[in-house]
């Protein structure tokens, strides 16, 4: 990856999009501090991310990974409580405030009703809400998510992106890596489009997504239409893949 710069500010939702192998997950790992850049730097609140100790970093940004597994039969509440460890000493047990934070995170992610269930008893959509609740329990101002809608059905994808929009409205800085161009265009304030490790385009969805660019990157015929609404996503560009043998009309 070369020549990439990205920033996400409080109260904004940035979607990082692009084809497989474009560098989306690598960029997220660099921003999260799990990878170190060979060139350039990552800053958080004007400080180098490398200068943050692990617990301080966990209080500053929360990461929702694409997938993970637990070898132990932990419950939903226990999982979300793990988000409080950044605020506790090595052997310190959580107090009333920590329990209150966990309760609010569960409620915010609509996971309180199954807080006593084990993770291996959950659907994919329920499990993703638990992961986001755990991240919220960190009380970090920056939220990074790697393909959070992967494998989810229509309802859970929509619920997830509605939740991200609400968290952005609460003042969080939200960065989401996603393959779903249509949801990104509807819910994100800005897009960062990566292609083969470089920035192909950045800006508002209507500025970034064009038929010419998308057909060039994905090597597939498509059509762009405006989302009919109603709502704040009215007019957002929506991508419709065509059959391979589709006739090419005027570009839009």
């Amino acid at each position: 990856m070369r020549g990439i710069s990205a920033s996400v500010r409080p109260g904004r939702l940035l979607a990082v999009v692009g084809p497989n192998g474009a560098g989306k997950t690598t960029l997220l790992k660099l921003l999260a501090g799990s990878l170190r850049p060979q060139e350039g730097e990552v800053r958080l609140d004007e400080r180098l991310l490398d200068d943050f100790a692990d617990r301080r970093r966990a209080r500053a940004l929360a990461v929702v990974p694409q997938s993970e597994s637990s070898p132990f039969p932990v419950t939903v509440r226990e999982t979300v409580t793990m988000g409080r460890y950044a605020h506790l000493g090595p052997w310190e047990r959580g107090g009333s405030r920590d329990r209150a934070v966990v309760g609010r995170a569960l409620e915010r992610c609509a996971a309180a009703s199954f807080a006593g269930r084990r993770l291996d008893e959950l659907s994919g959509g329920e499990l993703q809400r638990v992961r986001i609740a755990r991240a919220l329990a960190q009380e970090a101002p920056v939220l990074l998510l790697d393909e959070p809608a992967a494998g989810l059905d229509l309802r859970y994808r929509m619920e997830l992106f509605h939740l991200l929009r609400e968290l952005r409205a609460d003042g969080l800085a939200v960065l989401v890596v996603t393959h779903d161009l249509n949801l990104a265009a509807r819910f994100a304030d800005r897009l960062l489009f990566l292609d083969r490790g470089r920035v192909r385009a950045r800006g508002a969805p209507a500025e970034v997504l064009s038929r010419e660019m998308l057909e060039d990157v994905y090597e597939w015929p498509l059509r762009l239409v405006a989302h009919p609404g109603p709502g704040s996503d009215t007019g957002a560009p929506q991508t419709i893949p065509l059959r391979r043998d589709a006739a090419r009309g005027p570009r839009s």
Side-chain angles (χ1 to χ4, degrees), residues 90-182:
W91 305 106
E92 186 179 356
R93 295 177 62 87
S96 59
R97 184 180 184 282
D98 300 289
R99 290 189 291 273
V101 171
V102 168
R104 288 195 297 271
L106 287 166
E107 290 286 351
R108 190 61 193 275
C109 295
S113 62
F114 50 88
R117 290 164 60 188
R118 299 200 319 256
L119 296 188
D120 57 6
E121 299 173 335
L122 304 181
S123 69
E126 291 169 338
L127 185 58
Q128 198 63 294
R129 296 210 301 269
V130 172
R131 290 171 178 158
I132 296 176
R134 180 185 59 193
L136 295 184
Q138 291 178 225
E139 294 187 298
V142 179
L143 181 62
L144 309 177
L145 306 99
D146 188 9
E147 293 287 358
L152 301 186
D153 64 23
L154 185 150
R155 171 195 167 186
Y156 282 122
R157 290 200 305 272
M158 290 300 295
E159 286 184 346
L160 173 66
F161 273 84
H162 274 288
L163 174 60
L164 296 183
R165 178 179 280 176
E166 292 170 2
L167 296 174
R168 177 264 276 165
D170 287 346
L172 289 185
V174 182
L175 182 148
V176 56
V177 168
T178 180
H179 274 97
D180 197 319
L181 293 175
N182 289 340

Side-chain angles (χ1 to χ4, degrees), residues 19-209:
N20 290 331
K24 302 184 298 297
T25 295
T26 299
L27 175 62
L28 185 140
K29 289 179 178 180
L30 289 168
L31 296 176
S34 56
L35 282 180
R36 289 190 174 184
Q38 296 180 344
E39 299 177 5
E41 59 189 24
V42 179
R43 289 184 175 270
L44 180 62
D45 290 335
E46 304 303 325
R47 289 180 55 192
L48 285 173
L49 193 61
D50 283 346
D51 292 344
F52 285 77
D54 289 344
R55 286 181 179 272
R56 175 68 184 88
R57 183 183 301 170
R59 293 194 296 270
L61 57 87
V63 181
V64 179
Q66 183 172 350
S67 62
E68 60 184 313
S69 60
S70 173
F72 307 106
V74 294
T75 68
V76 168
R77 186 177 297 277
E78 289 168 340
T79 300
V80 178
T81 300
M82 293 177 187
R84 298 303 300 161
Y85 290 167
H87 298 268
L88 303 173
W91 305 106
E92 186 179 356
R93 295 177 62 87
S96 59
R97 184 180 184 282
D98 300 289
R99 290 189 291 273
V101 171
V102 168
R104 288 195 297 271
L106 287 166
E107 290 286 351
R108 190 61 193 275
C109 295
S113 62
F114 50 88
R117 290 164 60 188
R118 299 200 319 256
L119 296 188
D120 57 6
E121 299 173 335
L122 304 181
S123 69
E126 291 169 338
L127 185 58
Q128 198 63 294
R129 296 210 301 269
V130 172
R131 290 171 178 158
I132 296 176
R134 180 185 59 193
L136 295 184
Q138 291 178 225
E139 294 187 298
V142 179
L143 181 62
L144 309 177
L145 306 99
D146 188 9
E147 293 287 358
L152 301 186
D153 64 23
L154 185 150
R155 171 195 167 186
Y156 282 122
R157 290 200 305 272
M158 290 300 295
E159 286 184 346
L160 173 66
F161 273 84
H162 274 288
L163 174 60
L164 296 183
R165 178 179 280 176
E166 292 170 2
L167 296 174
R168 177 264 276 165
D170 287 346
L172 289 185
V174 182
L175 182 148
V176 56
V177 168
T178 180
H179 274 97
D180 197 319
L181 293 175
N182 289 340
L183 286 179
R186 290 177 62 183
F187 287 91
D189 300 296
R190 294 177 62 82
L191 302 183
L192 180 69
F193 197 106
L194 301 185
D195 182 24
R196 289 169 287 188
R198 296 181 182 275
V199 175
R200 182 67 181 259
R202 72 173 79 222
E207 299 171 347
V208 170
L209 300 180

